[in-house]
Every structure is written in structure tokens, then in C-alpha cells.
Amino acid sequence: LITPCFKDAWSSLIASFGTATIEHCQQIISDEDFHGDSAELVIIHRPAGSKIKKICFVGLGEQANLTFSNLVSTFNKVLPSIRTRHCHALHILLPKYTPQTRLIYQATVRAFSNFQYVFKGYKTTSSDFDMSARPKLILLCEQAQHLNQKLEYWSAESAGIRLAKDLANAAANDCT
């Protein structure tokens, strides 16, 4: 479970966890001196009182200073650290969707697309391209039904970027 956090404002996102889990997370976050600075990461394995295998707190920095490129850069830095070999899905707990948090949602989808991108023209094994073996992105949030249209648009935008990357990586003689 990935939980993005603004600087010094992480506790509101875990309010739905059980008391034992909250106390365990608060203790470890305090011990690790986590403040939510940009790209700061704390991973808690098997938190007490929960069936979650690990909770990852990702710092986003100051809410007033958020930009799309900074958010994508933050997620691009932390996603490789979070993924494990047998990870089937990345669950991301996001704040309630508002115009102010829209950038977080959009950056999450873009960074995940960047994380998943592999140029298929490289000489590697065919298993590297098995998309069913790659983790899925699952967004956990309030008002999820209102996001479907936006997610379709952002996914299409990411697909276009992947195609542009494929074209840029293709050999020149394949493009003529």
C-alpha cells in the first residue's frame, strides 16, 4: 500500500487503519524522522494489527509547491524502490479527489506508465514483455466513480507517450 503524504501532514491518510496499525506506523515514522519531504520514503513491513504486507509513505513536499513535473519525478524515484519481484498490484491510497489534488492523481498515472515502459525492440527475453506479469495500478480513494473518465484520458495520454518513446527508440532504418 503506497500512501503519498504532504510535508508534516501524513496522519490524516491513515485514519481508516486500525488503532494498532496507526500506533505502529506513528512509532516507525517518528523513529525514521519522516517529515514528508519530496521523494522521502519510509517502508513499514508487516505493520502490527493489519494484513497489509507493507505500507510505503512517500513524501510529496509542501502542498503549496506542488507541480506536475515534481510529482512525476517523485513517483519515478520511489516506484522502483517499492516494487518487489512478486508484486501483482500497487495499491495507492490517495486523498479525496479535489481540483487541488488532481495533479497527484494525474502524476501517479503518468509515473506508473513510465515505470511500466519497456522498449520491445531491445534484445531481451520474451518474458520481459509479458504485461500480465507486470503489476497493476489500483487507486484507492473516495469518489472513485467520478474518476473513470479522467483515468481513461490520462491512460490514453500515457499510451501516446509510450508510442512516442517507441518511435524515438526505434532504429532509423525501421522508420523509413
Side-chain angles (χ1 to χ4, degrees), residues 166-176:
D166 281 347
L167 184 60
N169 284 319
N173 58 346
D174 289 344
C175 296
T176 58

Side-chain angles (χ1 to χ4, degrees), residues 117-119 121-122 162-172 174-175:
Y117 177 74
V118 175
F119 178 58
Y122 293 134
R162 284 192 304 274
L163 289 171
K165 286 180 179 181
D166 281 347
L167 184 60
N169 284 319
D174 289 344
C175 296

Side-chain angles (χ1 to χ4, degrees), residues 1-4 52 54 56 75 79 82 86-95 104-113 115-116 132 134-142 144 147-148 151 154-155:
L1 178 67
I2 302 168
T3 306
I52 299 170
K54 61 181 162 176
C56 306
F75 281 113
L79 281 175
I82 293 169
H86 303 290
C87 178
H88 301 292
L90 292 174
H91 294 77
I92 302 184
L93 180 63
L94 293 167
I104 298 171
Y105 284 73
Q106 189 175 3
T108 302
V109 172
R110 175 71 58 82
F112 187 75
S113 176
F115 175 65
Q116 292 285 71
S132 64
R134 297 183 181 279
K136 307 289 186 256
L137 176 66
I138 300 173
L139 302 178
L140 305 171
C141 58
E142 295 179 27
L147 290 174
N148 288 337
L151 288 173
W154 295 332
S155 295

Side-chain angles (χ1 to χ4, degrees), residues 59-127:
L60 301 179
E62 296 283 346
Q63 189 170 3
N65 299 333
L66 287 182
T67 65
F68 180 73
S69 60
N70 288 344
L71 286 169
V72 171
S73 175
T74 295
F75 281 113
N76 283 339
K77 288 177 189 172
V78 299
L79 281 175
S81 303
I82 293 169
R83 183 172 184 253
T84 60
R85 175 177 243 167
H86 303 290
C87 178
H88 301 292
L90 292 174
H91 294 77
I92 302 184
L93 180 63
L94 293 167
K96 183 177 181 179
Y97 183 83
T98 64
Q100 293 79 22
T101 60
R102 177 190 61 81
L103 284 178
I104 298 171
Y105 284 73
Q106 189 175 3
T108 302
V109 172
R110 175 71 58 82
F112 187 75
S113 176
N114 292 345
F115 175 65
Q116 292 285 71
Y117 177 74
V118 175
F119 178 58
K120 296 179 183 175
Y122 293 134
K123 294 180 180 178
T124 57
T125 63
S126 61
S127 65

